[in-house]
Amino acid sequence: MKTLTIELINTWKPCYPAESKLPDGWTGTAIDILNLQNISADDKFWVVCREDVIDARTLRLFAVWCGRQVQHLMTDARSIAALDVAERYADGLATVEELAAARDAALAAVWDAARAAALAAAWAAVWAAAWDARAAWDAVRAAARAARDAAQKKQIEKLKEMILTKKNKNQTL
């Protein structure tokens, strides 16, 4: 497993110097970063989810796993198909062309959904304005933050599991 240092992390140009969160002379692995308590999940992912740290196949399979966690919310078959193609590509069973076509189809699905969501949001805003909009939006934001935090904890645990499983199979990262 690749050893990370403060100097290496700083070469990636983080928003704040790595030494502001890590002790002098710190070195560690992706697992060590994911185990840190004083760093946000977003920052942990920013450090470890790169091919300098984890191999492309593991990163792609992790991305597919994250997508599968919300697959039940996907209403467009193009999005689900993109997950399937990305997984097959990670395993060498799909071509770059198939991956690009699936990506383009999923992106079209996202734009279609975004247009529909914008219309729904506009309608919801009209209704919320008729009621106590501030309290409603505060409650929605709080629920969204709690859901995001729970999802990120689950994602960190899954990524650690994937890294350790690969390490235990004596494969390099």
PDB file of all heavy atoms in Angstrom, residues 101-134:
ATOM      1  N   ALA A 101     -20.358   5.586 -24.220  1.00  0.00           N
ATOM      2  CA  ALA A 101     -21.765   5.627 -24.624  1.00  0.00           C
ATOM      3  C   ALA A 101     -22.674   5.573 -23.390  1.00  0.00           C
ATOM      4  O   ALA A 101     -23.671   6.311 -23.318  1.00  0.00           O
ATOM      5  CB  ALA A 101     -22.085   4.472 -25.574  1.00  0.00           C
ATOM      6  N   ALA A 102     -22.331   4.735 -22.422  1.00  0.00           N
ATOM      7  CA  ALA A 102     -23.127   4.639 -21.192  1.00  0.00           C
ATOM      8  C   ALA A 102     -23.065   5.946 -20.414  1.00  0.00           C
ATOM      9  O   ALA A 102     -24.074   6.411 -19.870  1.00  0.00           O
ATOM     10  CB  ALA A 102     -22.638   3.476 -20.343  1.00  0.00           C
ATOM     11  N   ARG A 103     -21.873   6.561 -20.365  1.00  0.00           N
ATOM     12  CA  ARG A 103     -21.718   7.844 -19.690  1.00  0.00           C
ATOM     13  C   ARG A 103     -22.582   8.918 -20.345  1.00  0.00           C
ATOM     14  O   ARG A 103     -23.288   9.666 -19.670  1.00  0.00           O
ATOM     15  CB  ARG A 103     -20.248   8.275 -19.703  1.00  0.00           C
ATOM     16  CG  ARG A 103     -20.009   9.618 -19.006  1.00  0.00           C
ATOM     17  CD  ARG A 103     -18.733  10.298 -19.437  1.00  0.00           C
ATOM     18  NE  ARG A 103     -18.780  10.552 -20.868  1.00  0.00           N
ATOM     19  CZ  ARG A 103     -17.764  10.342 -21.693  1.00  0.00           C
ATOM     20  NH1 ARG A 103     -16.621   9.896 -21.259  1.00  0.00           N
ATOM     21  NH2 ARG A 103     -17.884  10.593 -22.991  1.00  0.00           N
ATOM     22  N   ASP A 104     -22.542   8.970 -21.666  1.00  0.00           N
ATOM     23  CA  ASP A 104     -23.335   9.968 -22.388  1.00  0.00           C
ATOM     24  C   ASP A 104     -24.836   9.762 -22.161  1.00  0.00           C
ATOM     25  O   ASP A 104     -25.579  10.731 -21.958  1.00  0.00           O
ATOM     26  CB  ASP A 104     -23.019   9.923 -23.887  1.00  0.00           C
ATOM     27  CG  ASP A 104     -21.599  10.401 -24.201  1.00  0.00           C
ATOM     28  OD1 ASP A 104     -20.954  11.019 -23.309  1.00  0.00           O
ATOM     29  OD2 ASP A 104     -21.132  10.144 -25.324  1.00  0.00           O
ATOM     30  N   ALA A 105     -25.271   8.504 -22.162  1.00  0.00           N
ATOM     31  CA  ALA A 105     -26.689   8.212 -21.932  1.00  0.00           C
ATOM     32  C   ALA A 105     -27.087   8.586 -20.507  1.00  0.00           C
ATOM     33  O   ALA A 105     -28.157   9.166 -20.280  1.00  0.00           O
ATOM     34  CB  ALA A 105     -26.966   6.730 -22.200  1.00  0.00           C
ATOM     35  N   ALA A 106     -26.222   8.268 -19.534  1.00  0.00           N
ATOM     36  CA  ALA A 106     -26.524   8.610 -18.139  1.00  0.00           C
ATOM     37  C   ALA A 106     -26.553  10.123 -17.950  1.00  0.00           C
ATOM     38  O   ALA A 106     -27.383  10.648 -17.216  1.00  0.00           O
ATOM     39  CB  ALA A 106     -25.505   7.965 -17.205  1.00  0.00           C
ATOM     40  N   LEU A 107     -25.649  10.833 -18.621  1.00  0.00           N
ATOM     41  CA  LEU A 107     -25.640  12.292 -18.532  1.00  0.00           C
ATOM     42  C   LEU A 107     -26.937  12.875 -19.102  1.00  0.00           C
ATOM     43  O   LEU A 107     -27.517  13.797 -18.518  1.00  0.00           O
ATOM     44  CB  LEU A 107     -24.428  12.864 -19.262  1.00  0.00           C
ATOM     45  CG  LEU A 107     -24.185  14.357 -19.135  1.00  0.00           C
ATOM     46  CD1 LEU A 107     -24.067  14.773 -17.669  1.00  0.00           C
ATOM     47  CD2 LEU A 107     -22.929  14.763 -19.877  1.00  0.00           C
ATOM     48  N   ALA A 108     -27.408  12.317 -20.194  1.00  0.00           N
ATOM     49  CA  ALA A 108     -28.687  12.765 -20.760  1.00  0.00           C
ATOM     50  C   ALA A 108     -29.815  12.510 -19.761  1.00  0.00           C
ATOM     51  O   ALA A 108     -30.708  13.348 -19.597  1.00  0.00           O
ATOM     52  CB  ALA A 108     -28.963  12.055 -22.083  1.00  0.00           C
ATOM     53  N   ALA A 109     -29.757  11.371 -19.072  1.00  0.00           N
ATOM     54  CA  ALA A 109     -30.774  11.054 -18.057  1.00  0.00           C
ATOM     55  C   ALA A 109     -30.730  12.070 -16.921  1.00  0.00           C
ATOM     56  O   ALA A 109     -31.765  12.507 -16.415  1.00  0.00           O
ATOM     57  CB  ALA A 109     -30.563   9.640 -17.520  1.00  0.00           C
ATOM     58  N   VAL A 110     -29.521  12.459 -16.525  1.00  0.00           N
ATOM     59  CA  VAL A 110     -29.366  13.445 -15.456  1.00  0.00           C
ATOM     60  C   VAL A 110     -29.977  14.780 -15.872  1.00  0.00           C
ATOM     61  O   VAL A 110     -30.699  15.410 -15.099  1.00  0.00           O
ATOM     62  CB  VAL A 110     -27.868  13.619 -15.085  1.00  0.00           C
ATOM     63  CG1 VAL A 110     -27.646  14.849 -14.227  1.00  0.00           C
ATOM     64  CG2 VAL A 110     -27.352  12.379 -14.381  1.00  0.00           C
ATOM     65  N   TRP A 111     -29.712  15.207 -17.100  1.00  0.00           N
ATOM     66  CA  TRP A 111     -30.263  16.486 -17.563  1.00  0.00           C
ATOM     67  C   TRP A 111     -31.784  16.432 -17.625  1.00  0.00           C
ATOM     68  O   TRP A 111     -32.466  17.389 -17.252  1.00  0.00           O
ATOM     69  CB  TRP A 111     -29.674  16.886 -18.917  1.00  0.00           C
ATOM     70  CG  TRP A 111     -28.314  17.469 -18.771  1.00  0.00           C
ATOM     71  CD1 TRP A 111     -27.141  16.928 -19.173  1.00  0.00           C
ATOM     72  CD2 TRP A 111     -27.976  18.708 -18.132  1.00  0.00           C
ATOM     73  NE1 TRP A 111     -26.090  17.746 -18.831  1.00  0.00           N
ATOM     74  CE2 TRP A 111     -26.581  18.852 -18.194  1.00  0.00           C
ATOM     75  CE3 TRP A 111     -28.721  19.707 -17.518  1.00  0.00           C
ATOM     76  CZ2 TRP A 111     -25.914  19.946 -17.668  1.00  0.00           C
ATOM     77  CZ3 TRP A 111     -28.051  20.805 -16.997  1.00  0.00           C
ATOM     78  CH2 TRP A 111     -26.666  20.911 -17.076  1.00  0.00           C
ATOM     79  N   ASP A 112     -32.314  15.286 -18.076  1.00  0.00           N
ATOM     80  CA  ASP A 112     -33.774  15.136 -18.110  1.00  0.00           C
ATOM     81  C   ASP A 112     -34.342  15.229 -16.695  1.00  0.00           C
ATOM     82  O   ASP A 112     -35.343  15.906 -16.460  1.00  0.00           O
ATOM     83  CB  ASP A 112     -34.167  13.797 -18.749  1.00  0.00           C
ATOM     84  CG  ASP A 112     -33.850  13.737 -20.236  1.00  0.00           C
ATOM     85  OD1 ASP A 112     -33.545  14.797 -20.834  1.00  0.00           O
ATOM     86  OD2 ASP A 112     -33.890  12.620 -20.794  1.00  0.00           O
ATOM     87  N   ALA A 113     -33.692  14.542 -15.757  1.00  0.00           N
ATOM     88  CA  ALA A 113     -34.148  14.558 -14.362  1.00  0.00           C
ATOM     89  C   ALA A 113     -33.995  15.945 -13.748  1.00  0.00           C
ATOM     90  O   ALA A 113     -34.845  16.383 -12.972  1.00  0.00           O
ATOM     91  CB  ALA A 113     -33.376  13.523 -13.544  1.00  0.00           C
ATOM     92  N   ALA A 114     -32.912  16.642 -14.095  1.00  0.00           N
ATOM     93  CA  ALA A 114     -32.682  17.982 -13.548  1.00  0.00           C
ATOM     94  C   ALA A 114     -33.776  18.951 -13.990  1.00  0.00           C
ATOM     95  O   ALA A 114     -34.257  19.759 -13.199  1.00  0.00           O
ATOM     96  CB  ALA A 114     -31.310  18.500 -13.978  1.00  0.00           C
ATOM     97  N   ARG A 115     -34.172  18.842 -15.248  1.00  0.00           N
ATOM     98  CA  ARG A 115     -35.258  19.707 -15.729  1.00  0.00           C
ATOM     99  C   ARG A 115     -36.553  19.418 -14.964  1.00  0.00           C
ATOM    100  O   ARG A 115     -37.243  20.328 -14.525  1.00  0.00           O
ATOM    101  CB  ARG A 115     -35.457  19.526 -17.237  1.00  0.00           C
ATOM    102  CG  ARG A 115     -34.466  20.296 -18.079  1.00  0.00           C
ATOM    103  CD  ARG A 115     -34.823  20.275 -19.555  1.00  0.00           C
ATOM    104  NE  ARG A 115     -34.629  18.976 -20.178  1.00  0.00           N
ATOM    105  CZ  ARG A 115     -33.459  18.504 -20.593  1.00  0.00           C
ATOM    106  NH1 ARG A 115     -32.382  19.234 -20.448  1.00  0.00           N
ATOM    107  NH2 ARG A 115     -33.372  17.324 -21.145  1.00  0.00           N
ATOM    108  N   ALA A 116     -36.842  18.143 -14.780  1.00  0.00           N
ATOM    109  CA  ALA A 116     -38.056  17.763 -14.048  1.00  0.00           C
ATOM    110  C   ALA A 116     -37.966  18.215 -12.591  1.00  0.00           C
ATOM    111  O   ALA A 116     -38.938  18.711 -12.021  1.00  0.00           O
ATOM    112  CB  ALA A 116     -38.265  16.253 -14.131  1.00  0.00           C
ATOM    113  N   ALA A 117     -36.777  18.070 -11.990  1.00  0.00           N
ATOM    114  CA  ALA A 117     -36.594  18.473 -10.590  1.00  0.00           C
ATOM    115  C   ALA A 117     -36.718  19.982 -10.437  1.00  0.00           C
ATOM    116  O   ALA A 117     -37.272  20.470  -9.445  1.00  0.00           O
ATOM    117  CB  ALA A 117     -35.242  18.000 -10.082  1.00  0.00           C
ATOM    118  N   ALA A 118     -36.217  20.725 -11.404  1.00  0.00           N
ATOM    119  CA  ALA A 118     -36.323  22.184 -11.337  1.00  0.00           C
ATOM    120  C   ALA A 118     -37.784  22.616 -11.361  1.00  0.00           C
ATOM    121  O   ALA A 118     -38.187  23.510 -10.602  1.00  0.00           O
ATOM    122  CB  ALA A 118     -35.554  22.823 -12.499  1.00  0.00           C
ATOM    123  N   LEU A 119     -38.567  21.976 -12.194  1.00  0.00           N
ATOM    124  CA  LEU A 119     -39.996  22.300 -12.228  1.00  0.00           C
ATOM    125  C   LEU A 119     -40.664  21.939 -10.907  1.00  0.00           C
ATOM    126  O   LEU A 119     -41.452  22.720 -10.359  1.00  0.00           O
ATOM    127  CB  LEU A 119     -40.676  21.562 -13.381  1.00  0.00           C
ATOM    128  CG  LEU A 119     -40.345  22.075 -14.778  1.00  0.00           C
ATOM    129  CD1 LEU A 119     -40.928  21.150 -15.847  1.00  0.00           C
ATOM    130  CD2 LEU A 119     -40.862  23.492 -14.968  1.00  0.00           C
ATOM    131  N   ALA A 120     -40.316  20.759 -10.371  1.00  0.00           N
ATOM    132  CA  ALA A 120     -40.900  20.332  -9.089  1.00  0.00           C
ATOM    133  C   ALA A 120     -40.466  21.264  -7.970  1.00  0.00           C
ATOM    134  O   ALA A 120     -41.264  21.618  -7.093  1.00  0.00           O
ATOM    135  CB  ALA A 120     -40.488  18.890  -8.795  1.00  0.00           C
ATOM    136  N   ALA A 121     -39.201  21.674  -7.991  1.00  0.00           N
ATOM    137  CA  ALA A 121     -38.697  22.576  -6.950  1.00  0.00           C
ATOM    138  C   ALA A 121     -39.388  23.933  -7.017  1.00  0.00           C
ATOM    139  O   ALA A 121     -39.719  24.523  -5.987  1.00  0.00           O
ATOM    140  CB  ALA A 121     -37.188  22.741  -7.089  1.00  0.00           C
ATOM    141  N   ALA A 122     -39.610  24.410  -8.213  1.00  0.00           N
ATOM    142  CA  ALA A 122     -40.304  25.695  -8.358  1.00  0.00           C
ATOM    143  C   ALA A 122     -41.721  25.596  -7.788  1.00  0.00           C
ATOM    144  O   ALA A 122     -42.177  26.489  -7.068  1.00  0.00           O
ATOM    145  CB  ALA A 122     -40.348  26.106  -9.835  1.00  0.00           C
ATOM    146  N   TRP A 123     -42.400  24.507  -8.080  1.00  0.00           N
ATOM    147  CA  TRP A 123     -43.749  24.309  -7.561  1.00  0.00           C
ATOM    148  C   TRP A 123     -43.715  24.195  -6.036  1.00  0.00           C
ATOM    149  O   TRP A 123     -44.533  24.783  -5.336  1.00  0.00           O
ATOM    150  CB  TRP A 123     -44.361  23.074  -8.199  1.00  0.00           C
ATOM    151  CG  TRP A 123     -45.781  22.856  -7.805  1.00  0.00           C
ATOM    152  CD1 TRP A 123     -46.258  21.836  -7.055  1.00  0.00           C
ATOM    153  CD2 TRP A 123     -46.901  23.683  -8.110  1.00  0.00           C
ATOM    154  NE1 TRP A 123     -47.607  21.971  -6.881  1.00  0.00           N
ATOM    155  CE2 TRP A 123     -48.036  23.109  -7.520  1.00  0.00           C
ATOM    156  CE3 TRP A 123     -47.073  24.863  -8.824  1.00  0.00           C
ATOM    157  CZ2 TRP A 123     -49.310  23.652  -7.616  1.00  0.00           C
ATOM    158  CZ3 TRP A 123     -48.331  25.399  -8.930  1.00  0.00           C
ATOM    159  CH2 TRP A 123     -49.434  24.810  -8.334  1.00  0.00           C
ATOM    160  N   ALA A 124     -42.731  23.440  -5.503  1.00  0.00           N
ATOM    161  CA  ALA A 124     -42.605  23.288  -4.051  1.00  0.00           C
ATOM    162  C   ALA A 124     -42.313  24.636  -3.395  1.00  0.00           C
ATOM    163  O   ALA A 124     -42.813  24.921  -2.302  1.00  0.00           O
ATOM    164  CB  ALA A 124     -41.507  22.284  -3.721  1.00  0.00           C
ATOM    165  N   ALA A 125     -41.522  25.460  -4.051  1.00  0.00           N
ATOM    166  CA  ALA A 125     -41.201  26.777  -3.494  1.00  0.00           C
ATOM    167  C   ALA A 125     -42.451  27.645  -3.382  1.00  0.00           C
ATOM    168  O   ALA A 125     -42.618  28.381  -2.406  1.00  0.00           O
ATOM    169  CB  ALA A 125     -40.149  27.463  -4.352  1.00  0.00           C
ATOM    170  N   VAL A 126     -43.308  27.542  -4.377  1.00  0.00           N
ATOM    171  CA  VAL A 126     -44.565  28.303  -4.328  1.00  0.00           C
ATOM    172  C   VAL A 126     -45.385  27.856  -3.124  1.00  0.00           C
ATOM    173  O   VAL A 126     -45.902  28.676  -2.359  1.00  0.00           O
ATOM    174  CB  VAL A 126     -45.354  28.119  -5.640  1.00  0.00           C
ATOM    175  CG1 VAL A 126     -46.771  28.658  -5.500  1.00  0.00           C
ATOM    176  CG2 VAL A 126     -44.625  28.806  -6.785  1.00  0.00           C
ATOM    177  N   TRP A 127     -45.498  26.545  -2.932  1.00  0.00           N
ATOM    178  CA  TRP A 127     -46.244  26.024  -1.782  1.00  0.00           C
ATOM    179  C   TRP A 127     -45.586  26.410  -0.469  1.00  0.00           C
ATOM    180  O   TRP A 127     -46.256  26.800   0.493  1.00  0.00           O
ATOM    181  CB  TRP A 127     -46.386  24.504  -1.869  1.00  0.00           C
ATOM    182  CG  TRP A 127     -47.524  24.116  -2.748  1.00  0.00           C
ATOM    183  CD1 TRP A 127     -47.450  23.656  -4.033  1.00  0.00           C
ATOM    184  CD2 TRP A 127     -48.907  24.179  -2.428  1.00  0.00           C
ATOM    185  NE1 TRP A 127     -48.700  23.430  -4.527  1.00  0.00           N
ATOM    186  CE2 TRP A 127     -49.620  23.740  -3.559  1.00  0.00           C
ATOM    187  CE3 TRP A 127     -49.627  24.576  -1.308  1.00  0.00           C
ATOM    188  CZ2 TRP A 127     -51.001  23.678  -3.594  1.00  0.00           C
ATOM    189  CZ3 TRP A 127     -51.011  24.493  -1.343  1.00  0.00           C
ATOM    190  CH2 TRP A 127     -51.678  24.053  -2.467  1.00  0.00           C
ATOM    191  N   ALA A 128     -44.249  26.281  -0.409  1.00  0.00           N
ATOM    192  CA  ALA A 128     -43.534  26.606   0.828  1.00  0.00           C
ATOM    193  C   ALA A 128     -43.704  28.077   1.179  1.00  0.00           C
ATOM    194  O   ALA A 128     -43.824  28.436   2.353  1.00  0.00           O
ATOM    195  CB  ALA A 128     -42.047  26.255   0.681  1.00  0.00           C
ATOM    196  N   ALA A 129     -43.723  28.938   0.166  1.00  0.00           N
ATOM    197  CA  ALA A 129     -43.904  30.366   0.420  1.00  0.00           C
ATOM    198  C   ALA A 129     -45.260  30.635   1.055  1.00  0.00           C
ATOM    199  O   ALA A 129     -45.413  31.571   1.839  1.00  0.00           O
ATOM    200  CB  ALA A 129     -43.753  31.153  -0.877  1.00  0.00           C
ATOM    201  N   ALA A 130     -46.224  29.800   0.716  1.00  0.00           N
ATOM    202  CA  ALA A 130     -47.559  29.973   1.287  1.00  0.00           C
ATOM    203  C   ALA A 130     -47.583  29.546   2.755  1.00  0.00           C
ATOM    204  O   ALA A 130     -48.453  29.964   3.504  1.00  0.00           O
ATOM    205  CB  ALA A 130     -48.580  29.170   0.494  1.00  0.00           C
ATOM    206  N   TRP A 131     -46.658  28.709   3.147  1.00  0.00           N
ATOM    207  CA  TRP A 131     -46.566  28.243   4.535  1.00  0.00           C
ATOM    208  C   TRP A 131     -45.343  28.878   5.175  1.00  0.00           C
ATOM    209  O   TRP A 131     -44.909  29.944   4.786  1.00  0.00           O
ATOM    210  CB  TRP A 131     -46.502  26.717   4.581  1.00  0.00           C
ATOM    211  CG  TRP A 131     -47.739  26.121   4.005  1.00  0.00           C
ATOM    212  CD1 TRP A 131     -47.918  25.704   2.715  1.00  0.00           C
ATOM    213  CD2 TRP A 131     -48.987  25.945   4.658  1.00  0.00           C
ATOM    214  NE1 TRP A 131     -49.195  25.260   2.530  1.00  0.00           N
ATOM    215  CE2 TRP A 131     -49.881  25.391   3.712  1.00  0.00           C
ATOM    216  CE3 TRP A 131     -49.455  26.176   5.947  1.00  0.00           C
ATOM    217  CZ2 TRP A 131     -51.189  25.078   4.013  1.00  0.00           C
ATOM    218  CZ3 TRP A 131     -50.762  25.850   6.241  1.00  0.00           C
ATOM    219  CH2 TRP A 131     -51.608  25.315   5.284  1.00  0.00           C
ATOM    220  N   ASP A 132     -44.761  28.234   6.140  1.00  0.00           N
ATOM    221  CA  ASP A 132     -43.566  28.758   6.807  1.00  0.00           C
ATOM    222  C   ASP A 132     -42.335  28.257   6.068  1.00  0.00           C
ATOM    223  O   ASP A 132     -41.756  27.245   6.425  1.00  0.00           O
ATOM    224  CB  ASP A 132     -43.552  28.328   8.268  1.00  0.00           C
ATOM    225  CG  ASP A 132     -42.385  28.909   9.035  1.00  0.00           C
ATOM    226  OD1 ASP A 132     -41.637  29.742   8.477  1.00  0.00           O
ATOM    227  OD2 ASP A 132     -42.190  28.525  10.187  1.00  0.00           O
ATOM    228  N   ALA A 133     -41.927  28.960   5.038  1.00  0.00           N
ATOM    229  CA  ALA A 133     -40.848  28.517   4.162  1.00  0.00           C
ATOM    230  C   ALA A 133     -39.526  28.356   4.903  1.00  0.00           C
ATOM    231  O   ALA A 133     -38.807  27.391   4.692  1.00  0.00           O
ATOM    232  CB  ALA A 133     -40.679  29.494   3.007  1.00  0.00           C
ATOM    233  N   ARG A 134     -39.189  29.282   5.763  1.00  0.00           N
ATOM    234  CA  ARG A 134     -37.897  29.232   6.459  1.00  0.00           C
ATOM    235  C   ARG A 134     -37.770  27.957   7.284  1.00  0.00           C
ATOM    236  O   ARG A 134     -36.773  27.244   7.195  1.00  0.00           O
ATOM    237  CB  ARG A 134     -37.746  30.471   7.342  1.00  0.00           C
ATOM    238  CG  ARG A 134     -36.515  30.498   8.176  1.00  0.00           C
ATOM    239  CD  ARG A 134     -35.315  30.782   7.331  1.00  0.00           C
ATOM    240  NE  ARG A 134     -34.151  30.837   8.193  1.00  0.00           N
ATOM    241  CZ  ARG A 134     -32.955  31.002   7.758  1.00  0.00           C
ATOM    242  NH1 ARG A 134     -32.736  31.172   6.483  1.00  0.00           N
ATOM    243  NH2 ARG A 134     -31.945  31.037   8.574  1.00  0.00           N
TER     244      ARG A 134
END
